[in-house]
Amino acid sequence: GEDVEQSLFLSVREGDSSVINCTYTDSSSTYLYWYKQEPGAGLQLLTYIFSNMDMKQDQRLTVLLNKKDKHLSLRIADTQTGDSAIYFCAETFGANSGGYQKVTFGIGTKLQVIP
Amino acid sequence: ETGVTQSPTHLIKTRGQQVTLRCSSQSGHNTVSWYQQALGQGPQFIFQYYREEENGRGNFPPRFSGLQFPNYSSELNVNALELDDSALYLCASGPGTSGSNNEQFFGPGTRLTVL
């Protein structure tokens, strides 16, 4: 079955790098996502990585995927106070021919950035 | 701004009542998914609609039902409300094209409180 696990809380100082970790169980996952949720808001897709990739970089964000260990990480360089939010790791198989796509989320990691 | 809207923003109901939550998807998106996010948890997949038919369901009882309309609007209906139904309900729309990343665009959510 599908299961996604994350640590609950991470505190970093402004300007430092943040690393949020995630493990998943389903080796057939096709896409792995990182979503950001600010208080009172919906989910914002930050970045995603396809399962045949090891790394993806997008400005301050670096995603690393270790498919053997089913481990995903999100590194935020030069963390700012505006990065304070809850970060969700999620996995999906991608849509099938009938358009069906279920996304399985982790519990979320609350990132606190200290000025 | 994802182009997905939900109404109402907040809602208070009592146990045993029925509720209808609404979502307006991006134009051209064939799929709409609904998620339940309890406090301190990640979103849990309720079901997905593709071209007005339910094509996938998570571990939720039949009193959770939905409708999708040709004008890219959709509804989530919950009958016989229970206290544990108190949560943030998120809808997400996507193109529903197989073989692609299929990013889902989330609305801001409806906060339902059951007393």
Side-chain angles (χ1 to χ4, degrees):
Chain A
E2 311 121 0
D3 195 17
V4 178
E5 295 189 356
Q6 303 178 238
S7 54
L8 293 179
F9 188 75
L10 176 66
S11 180
V12 299
R13 293 211 171 270
E14 190 175 18
D16 288 350
S17 292
S18 309
V19 180
I20 303 171
N21 295 301
C22 165
T23 57
Y24 60 98
T25 56
D26 199 326
S27 57
S28 60
S29 293
T30 310
Y31 299 99
L32 295 139
Y33 300 106
W34 284 103
Y35 282 89
K36 177 182 180 182
Q37 188 176 39
E38 296 182 79
L43 297 170
Q44 174 195 354
L45 179 66
L46 284 179
T47 186
Y48 69 92
I49 189 167
F50 190 51
S51 59
N52 68 354
M53 298 168 64
D54 297 326
M55 185 184 86
K56 181 178 181 181
Q57 186 152 2
D58 184 1
Q59 298 182 341
R60 293 191 297 123
L61 306 178
T62 303
V63 179
L64 294 177
L65 175 60
N66 181 328
K67 199 172 180 184
K68 174 177 169 289
D69 294 337
K70 301 190 187 70
H71 182 266
L72 184 73
S73 68
L74 173 69
R75 179 177 179 270
I76 306 173
D78 187 24
T79 312
Q80 303 296 307
T81 54
D83 295 325
S84 293
I86 299 176
Y87 290 80
F88 292 94
C89 171
E91 63 172 356
T92 187
F93 309 125
N96 63 16
S97 59
Y100 174 61
Q101 179 183 20
K102 173 187 174 183
V103 181
T104 301
F105 288 85
I107 197 171
T109 300
K110 184 173 183 178
L111 174 64
Q112 178 188 53
V113 182
I114 303 167
Chain B
E1 188 65 44
T2 64
V4 179
T5 59
Q6 292 186 243
S7 62
T9 307
H10 296 87
L11 197 54
I12 298 175
K13 291 285 190 178
T14 56
R15 198 170 45 181
Q17 285 188 310
Q18 180 266 343
V19 70
T20 297
L21 310 182
R22 293 182 170 82
C23 173
S24 179
S25 303
Q26 281 195 20
S27 179
H29 280 184
N30 294 315
T31 72
V32 63
S33 303
W34 287 90
Y35 292 82
Q36 180 195 67
Q37 186 179 14
L39 198 62
Q41 302 294 317
Q44 298 292 312
F45 177 75
I46 302 174
F47 46 56
Q48 182 184 57
Y49 278 74
Y50 176 69
R51 294 184 173 172
E52 301 163 50
E53 290 193 12
E54 183 181 306
N55 71 342
R57 191 175 187 93
N59 189 26
F60 281 80
R63 59 189 186 84
F64 285 78
S65 63
L67 288 169
Q68 184 186 25
F69 303 102
N71 66 352
Y72 304 110
S73 66
S74 56
E75 292 179 355
L76 166 66
N77 298 292
V78 187
N79 293 324
L81 283 167
E82 300 176 0
L83 297 179
D84 285 349
D85 295 333
S86 295
L88 180 69
Y89 288 85
L90 298 162
C91 78
S93 72
T97 306
S98 63
S100 68
N101 163 47
N102 265 307
E103 177 180 350
Q104 295 193 348
F105 296 83
F106 281 83
T110 293
R111 172 75 60 188
L112 172 64
T113 302
V114 182
L115 302 176

